[in-house]
Structure formats: C-alpha cells, structure tokens
Amino acid sequence: MKKILNYVTVFLSLIVLSSCGEPDEIVMGSKTITIDNAIQIEAKSSYQLNDVLYVNATFSRYLQEKGFDTLLDIYKSTSSDEYYFHFYLEKKSAYGTWSTIDLGENLILEKGKLNNYYGNSGLCILDQVTNLYEFRVGIPLLEKGTYRLNISNTISPSYANNSFIAVNIETIIRDVDENGSFNFSVD
C-alpha cells in the first residue's frame, strides 16, 4: 500500500511541476519563437531561362517573446552568431517524379554563408553593426521545366554551447504551399 501511495505522490508531483515554472516553449534546453517572414522568396509572376530566384533571410538579434515585455537577445542566449535553415530545389520529370537538383557551384551568395554538409543550408550571419542575422542567395534557373523550392520554416543556431539555451525560430514563409514548397515554372 505504501508503494502505491509513493507512486501516486510522484505522479501528482509531476503534474504540479509540469504546470508551473518555465513556459511550454522551453523543452530540454531549447526555446522556439515564432516570427513572420524571416525567410523571403523574391517571387515573380513568371520565370525565364537564366533568371535568378533569390532567397533572403533577415531577422533581428532581439526578438519578442510571447508573455514578456522585454526583447530576448538571441545572440546572448545562444552564443551563436550563425543561424541556419535548409533548402533544396527539385525539378519535375516528364514522368511526374521529382528529382533534387545539385545546385553546387551555381549559387550566387550575396550575404551569409552556405553549408552543404547536410544538403543546402543557408547560414544567416550576425552583423554586429545592424544587429541583424542576414542571408541572401540567388539560384540561377538554367533549364526550362517545372520546379519546386523546398524551404524549412525552422531557423536554428548553427552551434550551441551546452551552457546556453538553443533558441529556434519558426517563421511563416509567404508564397509556399502547406508542404513548404514554392512551386514555379521556367519558360
């Protein structure tokens, strides 16, 4: 009987502890903040051969947290001056299947860095003067066809010191479908 009472006490304690303390967004050393349009696609109504499709990411070092009056300094919180997100381009074949296009050396990097370790990752780099994390890349459209650009809506610190919290950013990207794909054709 005493054993059952101990289990009930532990169970009730867990319920009480889980309902107070840190906000629900903090899970195992990470926190997620949602902001609009941190990643933008410079969409056109139509694309021609040799056009360039640009993808930008820009967001402040200081972000509004739900339930807090002061802004969160994500650089101070994470100790990371780089944030990354994944993207990749696919082309539709004549058979209706999609294949990933190797962007390789063709990308036009204007701001930030590229990391091809796990596919294509855009690295948004902190500008210490403007206090903005920035990334801009152009994707040359070298073949006619039907395409989709897939972009992750999660931006994460590229490295995290264990003594800091990882602050992930969820963003809403305009012009993408429910799967995170920007669909377009090159004529």
Side-chain angles (χ1 to χ4, degrees):
M1 181 69 170
K2 189 172 183 180
K3 201 173 199 179
I4 293 174
L5 183 58
N6 286 339
Y7 285 125
V8 170
T9 303
V10 169
F11 178 74
L12 291 175
S13 297
L14 288 173
I15 291 173
V16 170
L17 288 174
S18 67
S19 65
C20 62
E22 296 294 330
D24 290 341
E25 293 88 24
I26 297 179
V27 178
M28 295 184 63
S30 69
K31 178 174 191 60
T32 300
I33 294 180
T34 302
I35 59 175
D36 290 338
N37 300 316
I39 301 171
Q40 307 92 27
I41 300 168
E42 292 182 18
K44 294 182 178 181
S45 57
S46 66
Y47 292 93
Q48 303 300 316
L49 197 59
N50 296 317
D51 278 352
V52 177
L53 172 64
Y54 284 96
V55 176
N56 303 295
T58 305
F59 54 95
S60 177
R61 164 184 178 166
Y62 304 100
L63 298 178
Q64 182 65 53
E65 275 185 281
K66 186 178 175 182
F68 292 90
D69 294 332
T70 58
L71 298 177
L72 174 67
D73 182 343
I74 61 173
Y75 173 70
K76 188 176 177 182
S77 298
T78 64
S79 183
S80 181
D81 58 357
E82 298 177 354
Y83 268 73
Y84 73 92
F85 66 95
H86 298 291
F87 66 94
Y88 60 96
L89 183 66
E90 293 179 298
K91 183 178 181 187
K92 192 173 189 177
S93 75
Y95 300 105
T97 58
W98 292 95
S99 58
T100 303
I101 304 296
D102 180 13
L103 299 172
E105 303 289 321
N106 294 325
L107 294 174
I108 304 166
L109 183 64
E110 294 185 3
K111 290 184 181 178
K113 295 179 187 175
L114 291 168
N115 182 348
N116 294 325
Y117 191 67
Y118 295 111
N120 290 309
S121 294
L123 292 171
C124 308
I125 306 298
L126 177 62
D127 182 326
Q128 297 284 351
V129 175
T130 63
N131 287 319
L132 294 174
Y133 286 86
E134 298 176 302
F135 174 79
R136 178 176 166 84
V137 71
I139 303 169
L141 304 174
L142 304 176
E143 295 179 16
K144 292 182 179 185
T146 302
Y147 292 87
R148 65 183 178 196
L149 176 64
N150 299 286
I151 300 180
S152 168
N153 71 334
T154 301
I155 309 170
S156 301
S158 64
Y159 53 87
N161 183 324
N162 289 337
S163 63
F164 293 88
I165 189 169
V167 179
N168 297 303
I169 299 168
E170 295 270 327
T171 188
I172 297 168
I173 306 169
R174 284 181 296 175
D175 300 317
V176 298
D177 63 19
E178 63 278 355
N179 298 316
S181 298
F182 173 65
N183 299 286
F184 65 98
S185 294
V186 177
D187 300 319

